[in-house]
Amino acid sequence: MPRFYIEADLAVNTTVELTETVFHHWVKVLRAQVGDTATLFNGQGGEFEVELTEVAKKTASVQINHFNPANRRPKFKALLGQVMSKGDRMDYAIQKAVELGVSEIQLLTSERCEMRLKYDRDQKKLDHWQGIAIAACEQCGLNIVPQILAPMPLEKWLASELATTKLVLAPNKNEVDVLANATADLALLIGPEGGLSEAEITAANTQGFVNWCIGERVLRTETAPVVALSILNYKF
């Protein structure tokens, strides 16, 4: 059954007009007809089974028949602090992190950050990344869309109030199992393509972040959150 995110209030036994985006995708692209069913969610929790009841040239309406309260979130809460990267790498990191159940993504700048958003383009780029998160939720079944938060300097984020367990992907010289006592409330820091500097890792450690080294290979900035969140899904 097709799934669509819709910015609208939803309730069982009511009729809702589809937004332009959903209308285009479902009716125009997928050629939906009266009587077809789909799943709608608005990011406030749960999902609704709907039936297409009326189709006009530019609009369509659905009858909401059933509510499913499932959100399909993992058994842990992870705030991802991701230093920004250029091009498709950032899109990929956001898409896969959302599919793997991240709760929120804080975009960061750092010493070796490749990307600096210009003021007049900030909102357009943020809207693009939020759209990627929404599309990922449509695909994977999550019903609460993680927020993509506007970039902030790494040092400012480190000093803010974060999760109970704080992990930074960095060499762990003591080879300690950092997940042994990890709680289900986590903050995860991923550096840029060139990696975090020694000073930045030290600053993170000073704020309570523990170095987490995943194997002997160096992961790309867009691969690291996929691997880390996959391991957390397995642990919890």
Side-chain angles (χ1 to χ4, degrees):
M1 187 182 298
R3 273 175 52 86
F4 304 104
Y5 172 81
I6 185 170
E7 294 183 6
D9 293 330
L10 302 175
V12 175
N13 297 325
T14 63
T15 299
V16 173
E17 183 176 313
L18 298 180
T19 59
E20 182 179 350
T21 301
V22 179
F23 173 80
H24 174 77
H25 191 179
W26 191 21
V27 178
K28 293 297 185 180
V29 177
L30 299 181
R31 304 293 184 184
Q33 299 179 357
V34 171
D36 288 353
T37 57
T39 299
L40 298 183
F41 68 102
N42 59 8
Q44 298 176 20
E47 61 191 17
F48 297 81
E49 183 180 321
V50 303
E51 179 181 343
L52 193 58
T53 55
E54 183 180 354
V55 177
K57 186 176 181 179
K58 295 184 178 181
T59 61
S61 298
V62 297
Q63 171 71 28
I64 302 177
N65 296 324
H66 177 71
F67 174 70
N68 177 5
N71 288 318
R72 304 183 185 92
R73 303 192 81 168
K75 295 181 180 179
F76 63 92
K77 180 182 178 183
L79 165 60
L80 173 62
Q82 178 81 41
V83 177
M84 293 185 296
S85 55
K86 290 183 178 179
D88 294 342
R89 287 178 295 181
M90 197 67 212
D91 294 0
Y92 180 90
I94 290 173
Q95 181 189 65
K96 301 310 175 187
V98 171
E99 290 180 17
L100 287 163
V102 73
S103 300
E104 200 171 54
I105 299 177
Q106 174 64 66
L107 304 175
L108 300 171
T109 58
S110 70
E111 181 181 329
R112 297 170 182 164
C113 180
E114 299 175 312
M115 187 174 191
R116 306 284 177 179
L117 295 185
K118 295 180 180 179
Y119 179 79
D120 59 349
R121 295 178 55 199
D122 281 2
Q123 195 56 52
K124 182 178 179 181
K125 200 65 180 177
L126 287 172
D127 290 344
H128 167 73
W129 285 328
Q130 191 65 61
I132 288 176
I134 289 171
C137 288
E138 289 180 331
Q139 186 276 324
C140 73
L142 283 172
N143 287 321
I144 297 179
V145 181
Q147 289 297 303
I148 312 301
L149 303 176
M152 70 164 57
L154 173 60
E155 59 271 20
K156 183 177 179 180
W157 185 67
L158 292 176
S160 63
E161 186 174 344
L162 299 171
T164 305
T165 296
K166 296 185 280 190
L167 304 172
V168 51
L169 262 63
N172 181 351
K173 298 177 182 178
N174 297 323
E175 297 185 356
V176 176
D177 180 6
V178 300
L179 297 184
N181 298 314
T183 69
D185 180 27
L186 304 108
L188 178 64
L189 171 58
I190 307 290
E193 189 70 15
L196 297 169
S197 68
E198 288 296 329
E200 289 170 333
I201 294 173
T202 299
N205 296 154
T206 301
Q207 295 294 340
F209 278 79
V210 178
N211 290 10
W212 183 18
C213 183
I214 303 175
E216 299 178 351
R217 295 170 301 282
V218 178
L219 302 176
R220 290 184 178 274
T221 184
E222 72 271 24
T223 309
V226 178
V227 177
L229 289 166
S230 295
I231 293 171
L232 293 175
N233 269 280
Y234 177 78
K235 173 179 173 57
F236 290 101

